[in-house]
Amino acid sequence: MPDARKSLLQLREEWRGCMRCPLGEKRETSNGRMVFGEGVPGGILFIGEGPGVNESIEGRPFVGRSGSLLRNAINKLGLAHCSYISNVVSCRSFGPEYDNAGQLRTRFNRRTGTHDIVLKDEPPPAAAVEACLGRLYEEIYIVDPILIVTLGGEAIKALLRRSVSVKELRGTTVEIRVPGVWTVPDLTSKGNWSRKQHGQVIWPTMQNYVRYLTYIAFHPSYVLRDGANEAFGNPKQRFIEDMHMITDIYYRTLKEVHGIDGVRLTQLIPDDIIEED
Ligand code: SF4
């Protein structure tokens, strides 16, 4: 069956230098980099909100403090061989930081001798989420994971296409529907699978949709911020539970749905999975 799925490299090339939303201009004026997903396709796809300052400098997802928390947990649970990490938007969303008096915060830059405006990460605007959704859908479709894990509210909202409370849904699974790239062969009016166009044989195809099992988890930055705070439901403990559940669901789905007896790299769950190295 013909399959119009692109490669991840092709997708990355198509979005290189993207200016489809205002974050593209911010990226260019701040000398930031677009952050594409990375990892091993076909297993667990972790989706966060968007790159922060460290990610924008390095051009890689989840390389800051919250990234090291996530990558540490993935490594300690032996999931690195089947994990891919990406974000809802590919460019950093940020704005100026203000103090309590409403004044712009500045920081003295010894190198240039100037006072630079302090910038802070911000949730991506709705227009950016919408503009980047095509890239995310296609990335999901190419990665074709057994299990998607959304990290934080922005990712699950973008995929469900509605406003949700991640505190209420955390720890549950839903099914999300991703538009496939034209992959289902379409018969011509004469009952043929192929037809000639401009002297070339083409395989007409129809749009299809793919359903993906999706686990809803907290974002690691929330875990870092509110840690063991009981008033917030102890996010650190919930994150550990999430990582255990994700591992179990992945191996169970691999076996029951795909008939693959995956070799678990860790049988025992270490209790220090989120301690930083
Ligand atoms: S966030 Fe996405 S849509 Fe916006 S400029 Fe970056 S790549 Fe393009």
Side-chain angles (χ1 to χ4, degrees):
M1 180 183 291
D3 189 338
R5 227 176 280 233
K6 294 172 193 151
S7 70
L8 285 166
L9 201 63
Q10 278 174 304
L11 183 67
R12 184 195 287 250
E13 282 308 311
E14 278 179 15
W15 285 74
R16 186 184 291 280
C18 174
M19 299 292 263
R20 290 174 177 81
C21 85
L23 298 189
E25 198 177 328
K26 280 190 170 186
R27 178 194 68 223
E28 295 300 310
T29 51
S30 64
N31 282 328
R33 294 168 70 180
M34 186 186 155
V35 179
F36 202 72
E38 68 175 33
V40 183
I44 307 173
L45 167 56
F46 292 90
I47 303 175
E49 179 179 283
V53 61
N54 295 304
E55 287 79 9
S56 183
I57 291 169
E58 284 198 33
R60 294 182 58 212
F62 282 90
V63 290
R65 270 192 78 219
S66 59
S68 103
L69 185 69
L70 176 67
R71 287 175 185 268
N72 212 36
I74 288 173
N75 287 336
K76 290 201 171 158
L77 287 172
L79 298 175
H81 72 291
C82 59
S83 293
Y84 186 98
I85 307 174
S86 193
N87 280 304
V88 170
V89 293
S90 295
C91 303
R92 183 185 174 212
S93 177
F94 60 93
E97 193 172 311
Y98 293 90
D99 62 19
N100 291 340
Q103 299 296 315
L104 273 178
R105 272 192 205 281
T106 58
R107 188 179 290 133
F108 182 65
N109 185 330
R110 281 204 196 128
R111 194 172 50 80
T112 59
T114 55
H115 287 271
D116 295 346
I117 293 171
V118 176
L119 301 170
K120 65 175 172 53
D121 292 339
E122 291 178 343
V129 173
E130 208 56 37
C132 222
L133 202 57
R135 188 269 316 151
L136 179 62
Y137 276 155
E138 210 164 342
E139 196 173 9
I140 293 172
Y141 186 64
I142 298 169
V143 169
D144 203 21
I146 304 279
L147 176 67
I148 292 176
V149 177
T150 56
L151 303 166
E154 217 46 74
I156 189 61
K157 272 194 277 179
L159 292 180
L160 287 179
R161 313 286 289 139
R162 63 186 161 89
S163 182
V164 291
S165 161
V166 75
K167 282 188 184 153
E168 281 169 23
L169 291 182
R170 182 240 129 226
T172 62
T173 52
V174 290
E175 225 180 40
I176 60 125
R177 211 172 76 128
V178 170
V181 188
W182 313 81
T183 61
V184 181
D186 186 17
L187 279 174
T188 67
S189 54
K190 289 183 183 160
N192 299 324
W193 289 111
S194 61
R195 65 183 73 144
K196 274 207 161 177
Q197 198 173 61
H198 308 304
Q200 282 198 326
V201 176
I202 59 162
W203 295 80
T205 53
M206 295 185 297
Q207 176 76 69
N208 71 341
Y209 288 88
V210 189
R211 292 173 189 279
Y212 289 102
L213 182 64
T214 302
Y215 185 92
I216 301 165
F218 285 145
H219 195 284
S221 63
Y222 175 63
V223 178
L224 282 177
R225 201 170 54 241
D226 291 322
N229 192 335
E230 290 298 340
F232 292 104
N234 198 331
K236 183 175 172 182
Q237 192 52 40
R238 301 289 90 79
F239 184 72
I240 294 172
E241 288 167 14
D242 283 341
M243 292 306 294
H244 294 173
M245 283 295 289
I246 290 160
T247 310
D248 282 344
I249 293 172
Y250 169 67
Y251 282 106
R252 212 172 51 230
T253 312
L254 196 63
K255 184 163 187 184
E256 290 173 4
V257 180
H258 301 269
I260 302 170
D261 220 345
V263 179
R264 269 180 92 134
L265 295 184
T266 46
Q267 297 300 329
L268 293 171
I269 303 224
D271 54 14
D272 63 339
I273 60 165
I274 68 168
E275 296 306 321
E276 291 180 55
D277 285 331

